[in-house]
Amino acid sequence: MDVKVQNNICILRDDSAFAGSVATMDLCVRTLYHAAGIPLHDAIAICSLTPAKVIGLQDTLGVLAEGYEADVNVFDEGINILYTLIQGEEYQNKL
């Protein structure tokens, strides 16, 4: 599909329909926490465990627990990602 991103919204180039999302996990957590007033631990679960459930991988993804795969975003008080751990290796935020 021929798409464009405009005002953080992915739409078809001919403006006829939405085509997807460009929302990052930190943006979703921040929005749920600040705008919707959802407790932080619940906002994180909504953004991690819920998608894992949707794709049927809730037994291996979506929570920080023994036996689960985990890439971890470490964020500051403003829920801005400082760095990410992927398979135990640290990757700095490049934004």
Side-chain angles (χ1 to χ4, degrees), residues 16-61:
S16 64
F18 291 115
S21 174
V22 295
T24 58
M25 185 170 186
D26 57 319
L27 173 62
C28 292
V29 171
R30 260 194 318 275
T31 300
L32 289 169
Y33 179 65
H34 291 298
I38 294 174
L40 186 57
H41 66 278
D42 291 335
I44 292 168
I46 289 167
C47 293
S48 59
L49 182 55
T50 301
K53 287 179 179 179
V54 168
I55 62 173
L57 295 177
Q58 67 274 7
D59 295 330
T60 58
L61 297 174

Side-chain angles (χ1 to χ4, degrees), residues 7-24:
N7 299 319
N8 287 324
I9 300 169
C10 186
I11 57 178
L12 294 180
R13 181 122 350 244
D14 67 4
D15 294 325
S16 64
F18 291 115
S21 174
V22 295
T24 58

